[in-house]
Structure formats: structure tokens, C-alpha cells
Amino acid sequence: MSISTTETPSALVRALANYAGYHRDKRNILTHFFGVPLIVLGVQVLLARVGIGVGGVFLSLMWLATALACLYYLKLELAMGTVMTVSLLLMAWAAQALSLTAPYAWLIWGAGLFVVGWVIQFIGHYYEGKKPAFVDDLIGLAIGPLFVAAELLFLCGLRRDLEAQIVAIAGETRIRQF
């Protein structure tokens, strides 16, 4: 299925297709299934202890950042936004638990998850032979988790319409030969 030349792709399709353009090697996509969630969880863990007290209630930056990300994803598309909201809230629950450990353990968990996630990402981009998308556009940092969710849905045989639109713009996935 290709996109009609008169049909303008949705903001969701444009964002995912742009990101997908940096991620056509199947090995790179596979590394993103591990690296991106580790990075997101690491950031959430680190932000969970940073915030302000308001009326005796601690408001962490983790919940603010998670809420803003969820709103962004919901604005792109309700269905994918709902998938992302559920995913991010589950991760925030785990991050909150990890943030309640001793300060050194909290820092090790947060920084460790973040660093390991990026190492996995850079291995994937070695296979791809391209730099990460965020190097050219910082919004790639927000689209990465959405890309992983979309690719997981595609693997499960869901959202074939969305997959076809992305492939029409970004091209098919492949294994890059060295």
C-alpha cells in the first residue's frame, strides 16, 4: 500500500517514518527493543527523586515528564497514545519503586539502566551504519519509544495500515551488508 500523492500523512506517520528512516536494519530495530526501554526507565528512575514538595506532597519530575510525554503521544494519535500511556505508567511504577532504594542504589539503577541502554543503541546503529535520529532532530528522543511500540505491534500483526504508510515513506527493513 502506498500513500496517495494528494494525501498528506498524519503527524504520527510523519514522525514515525522520519525516525524509521534511520532504522531500516532489522538488527538495529532489535537492539531498540532493549535499549530504548532501558533508557526511558533509567531517566524515569533518575527523575523520580528530583522535584518539589507542594502542600506536603512530593511532586517528582518523573511524573511531570511522563505526563507530558503521554499527552504528546495522545495528541499524535489516540490509539498509539493509549498504548504509550499504559507503557509509560507501568515503567513509572517500576521507576518509583527503584527510586525508593538507598541513594547510591537509586543512582546506580538510574545511571546503569541509562548507560546500558545507550550502549545497546550504539551497537544497533553500528549495524545500521547511520547515526541515531536525535542527532539531526531532538524530537527523535521522544519518538524512539513510540517507534519501539509501533514495531512491536507490527510484529504482532497489528496496525498494518500504519506499517504500510511508514514503509511507503521510509522503505523496507533489511539486513545491511558490510
Side-chain angles (χ1 to χ4, degrees):
M1 174 180 166
S2 65
I3 297 175
S4 162
T5 55
T6 59
E7 182 181 336
T8 302
S10 69
L12 174 70
V13 171
R14 286 192 313 270
L16 286 171
N18 181 59
Y19 192 88
Y22 293 82
H23 304 85
R24 302 322 297 150
D25 188 287
K26 292 178 183 182
R27 295 165 296 185
N28 188 22
I29 294 170
L30 178 63
T31 64
H32 281 57
F33 282 115
F34 299 97
V36 170
L38 290 175
I39 293 166
V40 171
L41 184 58
V43 168
Q44 285 180 316
V45 169
L46 292 170
L47 292 179
R49 281 197 174 200
V50 179
I52 59 170
V54 177
V57 175
F58 180 73
L59 299 174
S60 75
L61 285 180
M62 177 196 68
W63 289 110
L64 175 63
T66 299
L68 290 173
C70 291
L71 289 172
Y72 173 69
Y73 297 134
L74 288 164
K75 182 179 181 228
L76 285 175
E77 185 192 76
L78 182 60
M80 286 302 294
T82 301
V83 168
M84 291 305 299
T85 297
V86 170
S87 300
L88 288 175
L89 290 176
L90 288 171
M91 292 176 77
W93 172 76
Q96 187 70 48
L98 290 171
S99 76
L100 298 175
T101 59
Y104 66 88
W106 155 76
L107 188 58
I108 289 170
W109 273 112
L113 290 165
F114 184 81
V115 169
V116 169
W118 276 112
V119 167
I120 293 169
Q121 291 298 94
F122 286 120
I123 291 169
H125 281 280
Y126 168 78
Y127 289 126
E128 184 77 42
K130 290 184 182 177
K131 60 189 170 189
F134 78 87
V135 172
D136 289 331
D137 187 358
L138 284 177
I139 198 67
L141 294 170
I143 300 302
L146 182 65
F147 176 79
V148 169
E151 287 292 328
L152 185 58
L153 291 175
F154 302 159
L155 278 175
C156 294
L158 302 170
R159 296 303 308 265
R160 292 293 185 204
D161 60 319
L162 179 60
E163 181 180 25
Q165 292 177 63
I166 292 166
V167 168
I169 297 169
E172 294 286 341
T173 58
R174 81 283 188 246
I175 299 288
R176 178 177 166 260
Q177 300 300 314
F178 293 96

